[in-house]
Amino acid sequence: MMLLKLLNGLDRDRFEPVVLSLTSVGLVGRSIADLGLRVVHLNIPPGRISIRGLWSLRNFIKAEGPDLLQGWMYHGNLAAHVASLLLSDPPPVVWSIRGTHTDLENEKLQTAATIWLCAHLSSRAAAIINNSRVSAAAHANLLGYSRSNVVIIPNGFDTNTFRPDDEAKASVRALLGAHEDTLLIGLVGRVEPVKDHSTFLRAAALVKGRFPHARFVLIGQGADISNAQLMSVIGDCGLEGAVHLLGLRNDLPQLTAALDLTVLSSVSEGFPNVLGEAMSCGICAVSTAAGDAAWIIGNTGAVVPPRRPDSLARAMDRILSMEPEQRRNLGRLGRARVIEHFSLYSVVRQYEALYERLLLPTPMEV
């Protein structure tokens, strides 16, 4: 999605992007094509090593003659780099790392091998863009990735799409059957171990003791009543009737703007978008110290250790106990922080500046 947003914001008078998918076009690829950009796909089966596919990639690059190659995530980085080595006059290759995948034992064999091989090639990349300070340090310290060519460019947030919305507060409460004064605490994220929904729900049970009418909203893939394990934890925490399971949604800006507090309970992250999106909506954020959560939140919310429901609950309690106007003021500070440091406009300009630095000749000193 960040690639889609980047391509949408690039100055077309200075840059002419062409997107090459190693596999199929997919949903995001179709969205990129809707921007009026060329999207080419090689249809390499996922999880396969394809010499024919690599050669097709090399031939495509040779025919196009691009000024620069941008890999996107590990497989894209490796494919772009290896294909460039097969050319007599290769363009600069820029990598993009989008997460903290440094525990190779938890990765699929081919992905682990790709990450490991990239570590040994990393010093040869013209630049390695990482969207996370924590991720960049982990790749260098744990996997031996190059440090000298790393550029940190965070994810950018569309502050016009994610914005304060009083109408959403009313409409979402009506949708949930909640009173207009009901406190809504949300967690946005697919249900998987790294997101640690269990810690959030155990913290929610503690918060409900202080705020009996609070409701907790789970949004994301797997957050629905068919998830037996999730339903079991909700029951164990005594939260029946207090948790709304909304599953995967396409109206996230409105749902986010309707919250009183957003929470992230992950044990590991790279650059958690949900925090910046909530803050862009003027919603206060509480997070575990996962990835760059502390960098995003700054002094506009709270960051606590992972896997500590008691600490998470105290931080939630502290913000929910504020007077509504005090909480809104803190939310305004959060939105101002996103606009200053993480707006999509500023992030796209950082990509453009890097591309130009790599492509434009350095003026000769007189």
Side-chain angles (χ1 to χ4, degrees):
M1 292 304 298
M2 184 58 221
L3 175 60
L4 173 63
K5 291 188 286 187
L6 169 63
L7 293 169
N8 189 41
L10 277 178
D11 184 346
R12 301 286 185 86
D13 292 331
R14 295 151 62 203
F15 301 96
E16 184 182 355
V18 177
V19 177
L20 181 62
S21 171
L22 297 178
T23 56
S24 60
V25 172
L27 180 61
V28 175
R30 289 192 290 273
S31 297
I32 291 172
D34 288 341
L35 299 177
L37 297 175
R38 288 176 59 204
V39 180
V40 181
H41 56 96
L42 296 180
N43 276 330
I44 299 173
R48 301 273 186 90
I49 297 174
S50 172
I51 301 300
R52 179 181 295 178
L54 181 61
W55 197 251
S56 296
L57 173 60
R58 176 259 185 199
N59 289 340
F60 177 84
I61 295 171
K62 183 179 180 180
E64 288 291 315
D67 298 296
L68 181 142
L69 283 177
Q70 165 80 74
W72 202 267
M73 300 193 293
Y74 301 110
H75 294 86
N77 296 338
L78 182 61
H81 201 94
V82 173
S84 74
L85 296 177
L86 301 175
L87 299 171
S88 58
D89 185 22
V93 180
V94 177
W95 293 7
S96 179
I97 295 177
R98 319 302 302 174
T100 310
H101 300 273
T102 51
D103 186 356
L104 300 188
E105 292 184 357
N106 290 331
E107 301 292 340
K108 295 178 181 177
L109 180 60
Q110 185 184 345
T111 300
T114 299
I115 295 171
W116 178 85
L117 187 54
C118 282
H120 291 269
L121 295 171
S122 58
S123 63
R124 301 184 184 184
I128 301 174
I129 299 172
N130 201 311
N131 66 344
S132 163
R133 294 173 174 177
V134 169
S135 172
H139 277 79
N141 295 335
L142 301 177
L143 297 177
Y145 272 67
S146 172
R147 299 176 187 269
S148 61
N149 51 353
V150 172
V151 179
I152 306 296
I153 303 181
N155 288 350
F157 303 105
D158 184 344
T159 56
N160 292 320
T161 298
F162 287 90
R163 57 182 176 80
D165 186 347
D166 289 336
E167 291 184 5
K169 291 181 181 294
S171 62
V172 170
R173 280 165 175 74
L175 172 70
L176 300 178
H179 190 269
E180 62 180 12
D181 293 329
T182 298
L183 291 171
L184 292 184
I185 300 99
L187 186 151
V188 180
R190 62 192 179 278
V191 180
E192 62 176 2
V194 73
K195 299 295 184 181
D196 197 6
H197 283 67
S198 177
T199 286
F200 171 75
L201 291 169
R202 297 185 194 287
L206 297 173
V207 169
K208 196 171 184 301
R210 281 285 311 275
F211 302 92
H213 300 296
R215 302 280 187 91
F216 305 91
V217 183
L218 299 185
I219 306 165
Q221 186 174 359
D224 54 61
I225 59 174
S226 67
N227 190 324
Q229 185 176 4
L230 184 64
M231 295 300 294
S232 176
V233 176
I234 291 172
D236 291 344
C237 293
L239 290 171
E240 299 95 333
V243 178
H244 298 279
L245 300 174
L246 302 188
L248 200 59
R249 303 279 300 208
N250 59 9
D251 54 349
L252 196 54
Q254 291 73 34
L255 293 172
T256 301
L259 300 174
D260 293 286
L261 177 66
T262 194
V263 179
L264 185 73
S265 55
S266 298
V267 297
S268 177
E269 289 279 351
F271 189 90
N273 289 338
V274 295
L275 297 177
E277 289 168 351
M279 291 164 59
S280 185
C281 292
I283 306 303
C284 297
V286 169
S287 176
T288 49
D292 280 326
W295 180 25
I296 298 170
I297 292 175
N299 62 354
T300 70
V303 178
V304 301
R307 297 193 178 98
R308 292 285 302 275
D310 54 339
S311 298
L312 191 62
R314 283 196 295 271
M316 294 162 64
D317 188 299
R318 191 160 58 248
I319 292 178
L320 294 173
S321 297
M322 293 178 177
E323 293 295 326
E325 186 57 30
Q326 186 182 6
R327 193 164 55 243
R328 282 192 288 270
N329 285 336
L330 190 61
R332 292 185 189 108
L333 290 176
R335 177 170 168 80
R337 178 172 177 81
V338 169
I339 290 172
E340 181 178 358
H341 298 286
F342 308 114
S343 72
L344 183 58
Y345 176 85
S346 67
V347 166
V348 172
R349 300 291 85 78
Q350 290 177 62
Y351 274 91
E352 292 178 340
L354 174 63
Y355 294 158
E356 290 186 328
R357 178 169 63 82
L358 294 173
L359 294 173
L360 297 179
T362 303
M364 296 181 60
E365 293 185 5
V366 178

